[in-house]
Amino acid sequence: MMLLPIMAGAQTLEECQQAAERNYPLIRQYGLIEKTTDLTVSNIRKGWLPQVSASAQATYQSNVVAFADQMMAAYRQMGIDMKGLTKDQYRVGIDVQQTVFDGGAIRQAAEIARRQGRVEEAQTEVAMYQIRKRVNEMYFALLMLDEQMLLNHDLQELLAGNERKLMSMVKGGTAAESDWQNVKAERLNVGQQAANLESQKRMLLSMLSAFCGMEVKNVQKPAMTEVGGVNNRPEIQLFNAQLSLADAQEKALRAVLMPRLSVFAQGYYGYPGLNMFEDMMSHDWSLNGLIGARLTWNIGALYTRKNDKAKIELQRSLTETNRAVFLFNSSLEQIQQNEEIARYKRLMADDEEIIALRSAVRKAAESKLAHGIIDVNDLVREINQEQAARVQQSMHEIEMLKEIYDNKITTNN
């Protein structure tokens, strides 16, 4: 099995994946979600602060409270000027209300906001996780190109050696010049393939560098590792966060049904005031105020409670179904990947022997050509078949490594 040398300055697969995640614009969303959640929770908790409202109003009434005509006449006989209330009335005031007990509604609202934030973070993590697969595709494509370039160089050396031998044979009169030209043309053709491979590598390195936000000069073949394990994909955390959110929403339904107790204070400056009899005698503005406690119980939530609970239960069932589908598909993907890994292992078990046999046939063809038993086309064919066997071995190894690391992405292990 041919192994790539560890190149100086080569980036590992893990380094590229981590760099790509740091460089991806979506990473900024983590901080934004956290800040938004903190602000939302802070605003909800401010529900415990006194609620202050200011108001001003001016009204004109079609009628007002007044004494009967007989009483008004009696007051006038006693020398009392009872003007009565005016139809135009004015008020500028402030209301202050402080919640004492809300049945846990504020606490549950804050908990829903926190769990909604966890759901959004989990959704971002799922989106970020897909970056690893894209890095894998480019990384292992580069590894394959490195292998092909290394084998291409060895093939050029082999053809150059045979080219020199044929030149000597041409000079000695034991080979035709066309045989030498045939091998030289094949070497030049392989050189063109090397140029194409180099161009493809530069393109992939540029793409991977842009994706990772750093200059990637070379890649390093990762080590063989075990596959399998418990599924730790971020999608599982997303499903758990969604179920946790449903639990908080269900508790909030119970909190809505609880009575609410608050204390309040009202104060206003205007006309008429709270002492209506005095305001009938004088139309002056006055300061007025009152304090008290209020118990409210909104039973209207009972009308929709059944449907609200059913909606939450349906959402919970949908999440459970999505999780089951995800685990099922992941299991099928693991089965396929494990079978592919096993298949490549079986193929690689014969690769070394195939290469040894092709190498022996090629060496025999070189000897036969030197003795004039075969022509140069037969030699070129054997050289190409040996090269194909070496390329096949390299492809099997890199493709098996890719399946192994794709499997790690499938399970997040």
Side-chain angles (χ1 to χ4, degrees), residues 69-205:
D69 291 341
Q70 295 85 344
M71 292 184 68
M72 294 292 289
Y75 280 129
R76 282 192 295 270
Q77 290 175 1
M78 289 185 291
I80 299 175
D81 185 13
M82 187 65 67
K83 299 177 181 179
L85 296 177
T86 63
K87 293 183 178 181
D88 55 319
Q89 300 183 1
Y90 309 92
R91 175 181 295 194
V92 177
I94 294 178
D95 291 351
V96 180
Q97 180 171 301
Q98 172 65 57
T99 299
V100 177
F101 175 76
D102 69 344
I106 292 176
R107 184 181 70 254
Q108 288 302 321
E111 185 62 23
I112 287 174
R114 280 191 290 266
R115 296 191 187 187
Q116 183 63 51
R118 294 192 195 112
V119 169
E120 292 176 3
E121 287 179 352
Q123 289 171 334
T124 303
E125 181 64 30
V126 169
M128 290 289 295
Y129 193 75
Q130 302 304 315
I131 296 171
R132 300 187 186 185
K133 201 161 195 177
R134 297 172 67 178
V135 171
N136 268 23
E137 295 294 332
M138 290 183 279
Y139 195 93
F140 283 99
L142 279 167
L143 284 177
M144 185 69 74
L145 284 173
D146 282 340
E147 289 280 4
Q148 291 175 344
M149 290 171 66
L150 190 60
L151 293 172
N152 182 280
H153 177 268
D154 292 342
L155 179 58
Q156 289 189 64
E157 291 293 322
L158 179 60
L159 288 169
N162 280 281
E163 189 180 337
R164 288 190 294 271
K165 291 178 184 177
L166 283 167
M167 175 56 72
S168 298
M169 292 172 66
V170 169
K171 291 179 179 179
T174 58
E177 186 175 0
S178 60
D179 292 338
W180 169 78
Q181 292 172 337
N182 193 344
V183 173
K184 182 178 181 179
E186 188 66 23
R187 178 179 61 80
L188 293 174
N189 182 54
V190 173
Q192 288 181 335
Q193 295 173 14
N196 288 332
L197 292 172
E198 184 65 35
S199 176
Q200 292 178 45
K201 181 179 179 180
R202 284 196 302 269
M203 178 191 68
L204 273 175
L205 282 174

Side-chain angles (χ1 to χ4, degrees), residues 291-311:
I291 61 172
R294 180 182 293 116
L295 180 68
T296 60
W297 197 345
N298 181 14
I299 62 173
L302 287 171
Y303 305 150
T304 60
R305 177 176 171 79
K306 182 177 180 181
N307 288 343
D308 290 338
K309 283 195 68 174
K311 284 169 60 178

Side-chain angles (χ1 to χ4, degrees), residues 251-262:
K251 290 180 180 178
L253 289 181
R254 292 194 290 269
V256 170
L257 291 175
M258 299 296 291
R260 299 190 177 200
L261 176 65
S262 62

Side-chain angles (χ1 to χ4, degrees), residues 2 5 7 14 51 63 171 229 265 276 281 283 293 298-299 319 341 350 393 413:
M2 184 176 295
M7 294 167 282
E14 185 177 11
Q51 305 300 305
N63 208 347
K171 291 179 179 179
M276 188 175 298
M281 299 176 65
H283 293 167
N298 181 14
I299 62 173
T319 301
I341 292 169
D350 297 329
Q393 181 194 41
N413 286 310

